[in-house]
Each structure stands twice: as structure tokens, then as C-alpha cells.
Amino acid sequence: MSNSSFTLKGITSTAIHTASNHNAEHAHLTPIYATSTFTFNSTEDGAARFAGEDKSKIYTRLGNPTFVAAEKTIAALESFGLKNKNNEPLKLKALLHSSGQAALATLFLSNLKTGDTILSHYALYGGTYEVMHKVLTDTGIKTIIADIRNTDVLEKTLKENSSIKLIHIETPSNPTINCIDIESITQIAKKYHIKVSVDNTFATPYLQQPFKYDVDFVIHSTTKFLNGHGTSIGGVLIGKDDEYMNTKVWKWHVLLGSNTSPFDAFLLGNGLKTLELRMDRHCSNAMKVATYLQNHSAVALVNYVGLPTHPDHAIAKKQMKQFGSLISFELKNGYTAATKFMNALKMCTQAISLGTTDTLISHPASTSHLGVSQEERLKFGITNGLIRLSVGIENSEDILNDFEQSLQKI
Ligand SMILES: *Cc1c(COP(=O)(O)O)cnc(C)c1O
């Protein structure tokens, strides 16, 4: 723990020192507390922990010191430099989950019940779309998908559907890389007393802080940029209402058993320390790759919010510090060219997922979005020829050389 009389000014210092550990054994880094349970010194001690009077750990499903280190760091990054309504530093509560999907499940189940509706938008992570349409529907929770980037559509939908209790947005969104103005959504949602949650996986708290615009919840698949090295699956749900997080959200989280593991939390905690450094490189590489693709004669379309030609460039500029590492693009000869191009790459890796040190390339229609019907996919702009890239932190000339040699073969 950093000395409270010494205020950290930088986001990387915050990422490194928020949870720096000085335990009884003087371990430099937070150890992996590979233990299912924690001992009580006496029956009174056990009772005090269950009563919440003593915050020491009880049982790993309910919390573990290795989780706490990463949770505190993520909360510190999402609230970095932000103030609450009373002009005091914003305090957030983060809960690690076994996956991004588990964090989404806790978010939805702790906020919605049978008869309630989620309002969301086109182009969502495939898994999120499937939870809404294939799982929540069985519990009587409905989802309305609308183009809520248009505030008239948003207001009209809210007026017509009083059962909407949560607006869930992803920005930038997957895989067509669109942005939604978080501030305009929260301003309207507040008027109708509706909560707003943001999936901040693509941007990370270094590039975008949704709590700045007074959202209620942020979720991440920590599997991606927060871990940063592709070494584990994980998720996190972050909220600003401490009481709600510690009661309603906590209940669903621990009773449905969606906790992460000490080893995964350790890997995540380590990854967080280099977030700023990695993101700076991811973003500058992505800008070079997007510019290269846009100028290439074989390329029909490039979706990258960093390009001034992207329709959501202005929104991205308003709410993001830089433009992230996700790009999608189409080659002129569609699916056939996409297949040839991807198979001819020599360095870049064919895989789903994103936010790892290496450049990952995937074909959404046949992989991540196979569970979404072709009709729905096309509505979202996910054509059969669309290729998605998570630009890594390799030296940019190697990524560009790999693309160049591969594009010559299509
Ligand atoms: C990967 C991802 C998820 C799901 O997270 P898992 O860790 O795979 O469960 C949710 N949202 C976005 C934007 C993602 O990229």
C-alpha cells in the first residue's frame, strides 16, 4: 500500500503501487494465496468475520487477498483523477469474476428481474448478445436493441417501454468499432432514473473512464488488455454505489460462485502494472496499421476510430485519450481475399480474443459471431468478408511487413 501522505500523480505509479504488498513475510509482490479457506483464531474471531466487524478473509469464494490487490488497483485506475459530487476523490468498488461473461451475468442478474428490459445497441460482443437473447429470455428478462446513438431513438424507446431498467453499452464496440457518446446516454438515462453500464474492455481505464460521465457500472473482460498477456480468463464488475455493491451485487456474485482464482488474479495484478506502457504502443501501432490499410489498393473499408474519416471519430476524440488497438477491415474481394490474406500471414496470429502482446487476427462471421444469425450480423455490419485485428505491441515495421507480404498473395 502506498504511503497515504504521498499522493501519486501518475496512472502507472497508481497501477504499480496501489496494491504493493508489505505483508508479514516481506514478500515484494502480492503472493498467490492458494488457499480455499482462512483460519479463525477463536470462535469469537470467526463470528466477528461473519458479522462483518472484522474484514479479514473467510473463504476464497467470498474473497482472497490476491483478488483484493487486483480489485483495488482496477478501482483506482477507473477512478483515477475523478471526483464525486462533493468534489472528493471518487471511490469505486471492483469485484473480480471468473470471466467477463460472469461479470456480465452478475451485472444483469443483480439489477434486473422477470419483466424488466435491457436496452442496448447494435454491434455487441457476441457473448453479450447471446446472453441477452438466449439466456436472459428464459428468465423473462427482455432486451431491446436499437440505434441509441441517435438520442431521439433513445428517448422514444424509453418513453414507450417503462420496463427498461438498464442501458448497457459497449464503446468502442465489437467488431465494427463504433463509439457511443457515454455522456449523452447517461444524461437521458438519469431523466428516466435508469441505470447505465458500460463494457470498457476495448478502451481500458487508461483510454476511457466512463465514471467521469456518471455511469453506474463498468465491466471488463480482464482476459483482454487488463491482463494484457493472454494468460488467463477473467472479468471485473465495478460500481460506484458501495452499499449496492456490498449487498445486492455481492449476493449474486458469491452465491452463484463466479469468483476468479488466486493464480488468475495474480497474473492480472501483474499485467495491470504495464497498462499505460502497453496501451501507448498498442495505439500508436494501430494508427500506423489503419493508415497503411486505408491507403492500400486491395482494401475496401477500414473501421478504426482514430481515422478522421470514421463516422464516430469525434465521439472517440471527446471521450477517449487515444483510439485503442482494435481495427476491422474488408478486402475488395470479400471472403475469398480475407481467407487468402489471413492464411498467408507469417507473424501475426490467427486467434479470437484481443489485447495480447502479439497481433491477433480473426474472422468474426465464422468464429466469434457464429452464434448471431447472418441476418442480424449483416444488420450490425458484420459482413462475411470482415476481418478483425487486435494490433499488438510488436515493432510496427514487422506487423506492416507481414501485412505487405500477405496482401501481395491475395
Ligand atoms: C471478451 C469479451 C467479453 C467476454 O469476456 P470473457 O472473459 O471471454 O468471458 C465481453 N465483452 C467484450 C467487449 C469482450 O471483448
Side-chain angles (χ1 to χ4, degrees):
M1 207 61 52
S2 63
N3 191 318
S4 59
S5 66
F6 186 74
T7 307
L8 300 173
K9 297 268 193 259
I11 197 162
T12 290
S13 316
T14 303
I16 293 171
H17 289 288
T18 297
S20 60
N21 189 280
H22 297 288
N23 68 356
E25 301 293 340
H26 308 288
H28 174 212
L29 301 181
T30 303
I32 302 167
Y33 285 87
T35 181
S36 55
T37 195
F38 296 83
T39 56
F40 304 141
N41 298 321
S42 63
T43 45
E44 292 81 0
D45 180 27
R49 280 191 232 171
F50 268 86
E53 293 151 13
D54 178 347
K55 302 286 182 210
S56 304
K57 294 298 164 219
I58 298 172
Y59 183 65
T60 283
R61 177 161 49 74
L62 314 179
N64 176 294
T66 318
F67 303 175
V68 173
E71 286 170 343
K72 283 194 169 160
T73 304
I74 293 171
L77 297 177
E78 283 290 349
S79 61
F80 182 72
L82 302 185
K83 298 271 164 58
N84 66 15
K85 288 191 184 87
N86 302 324
N87 213 29
E88 297 152 346
L90 179 68
K91 282 209 166 61
L92 297 172
K93 167 90 180 169
L95 285 171
L96 289 195
H97 283 69
S98 55
S99 65
Q101 290 301 110
L104 275 171
T106 301
L107 167 72
F108 293 148
L109 294 174
S110 61
N111 281 287
L112 302 156
K113 58 182 188 322
T114 304
D116 290 345
T117 300
I118 305 170
L119 176 59
S120 197
H121 55 89
Y122 296 99
L124 286 167
Y125 178 70
T128 307
Y129 182 87
E130 288 193 67
V131 168
M132 290 169 169
H133 292 88
K134 296 181 180 168
V135 179
L136 293 181
T137 40
D138 287 354
T139 71
I141 297 168
K142 231 175 61 176
T143 299
I144 294 175
I145 301 281
D147 189 3
I148 56 176
R149 286 178 299 175
N150 179 334
T151 50
D152 292 338
V153 172
L154 173 60
E155 288 238 31
K156 186 168 175 285
T157 313
L158 292 179
K159 275 193 192 123
E160 287 170 1
N161 298 277
S162 59
S163 63
I164 294 172
K165 295 285 153 44
L166 180 75
I167 299 175
H168 180 71
I169 62 173
E170 230 177 82
T171 181
S173 69
N174 190 51
T176 43
I177 329 295
N178 289 110
C179 289
I180 295 200
D181 187 333
I182 305 169
E183 187 175 28
S184 79
I185 299 281
T186 48
Q187 275 175 354
I188 294 171
K190 297 290 144 188
K191 274 201 330 209
Y192 293 82
H193 307 290
I194 291 167
K195 290 182 180 170
V196 177
S197 54
V198 178
D199 186 331
N200 204 24
T201 301
F202 276 26
T204 83
Y206 173 53
L207 301 184
Q208 174 174 280
Q209 291 173 287
F211 286 102
K212 184 174 174 187
Y213 306 106
D214 209 21
V215 305
D216 298 282
F217 302 98
V218 163
I219 80 118
H220 284 271
S221 165
T222 60
T223 312
K224 318 291 166 54
F225 294 102
L226 296 188
N227 170 299
H229 301 75
T231 51
S232 71
I233 298 284
V236 67
L237 172 59
I238 307 135
K240 67 180 178 193
D241 182 341
D242 206 45
E243 169 72 19
Y244 195 81
M245 289 299 288
N246 287 325
T247 52
K248 197 85 194 274
V249 173
W250 172 255
K251 182 177 76 177
W252 284 94
H253 171 55
V254 304
L255 293 178
L256 292 187
S258 57
N259 56 283
T260 182
S261 79
F263 184 55
D264 288 347
F266 170 80
L267 295 170
L268 170 60
N270 245 4
L272 288 170
K273 296 175 189 180
T274 53
L275 180 68
E276 179 184 11
L277 279 71
R278 289 185 284 106
M279 293 313 290
D280 280 344
R281 177 76 157 241
H282 277 297
C283 294
S284 70
N285 278 358
M287 186 58 101
K288 288 178 194 163
V289 171
T291 308
Y292 164 83
L293 288 172
Q294 198 179 35
N295 293 328
H296 200 289
S297 58
V299 176
L301 168 78
V302 183
N303 300 312
Y304 182 59
V305 286
L307 296 174
T309 47
H310 190 288
D312 298 335
H313 179 67
I315 300 172
K317 219 169 160 179
K318 170 188 167 187
Q319 63 194 21
M320 294 176 77
K321 198 182 204 134
Q322 294 173 62
F323 302 105
S325 95
L326 272 297
I327 299 174
S328 62
F329 66 100
E330 272 181 65
L331 294 174
K332 279 184 184 151
N333 201 9
Y335 181 71
T336 316
T339 313
K340 277 193 197 157
F341 168 71
M342 288 175 67
N343 288 341
L345 288 166
K346 291 190 188 323
M347 182 191 78
C348 300
T349 313
Q350 274 198 48
I352 61 158
S353 200
L354 53 113
T356 59
T357 54
D358 52 338
T359 297
L360 300 184
I361 188 155
S362 69
H363 179 242
S366 66
T367 58
S368 58
H369 286 69
L370 188 63
V372 182
S373 71
Q374 166 147 317
E375 189 194 346
E376 287 292 297
R377 270 197 288 109
L378 294 179
K379 258 201 261 171
F380 304 165
I382 309 165
T383 56
N384 290 337
L386 193 76
I387 298 171
R388 194 195 70 184
L389 266 179
S390 165
V391 179
I393 59 174
E394 299 101 334
N395 300 97
S396 57
E397 60 267 42
D398 289 319
I399 306 172
L400 295 176
N401 285 343
D402 196 16
F403 273 46
E404 183 65 31
Q405 65 81 23
S406 184
L407 282 170
Q408 279 167 13
K409 299 190 179 119
I410 63 172

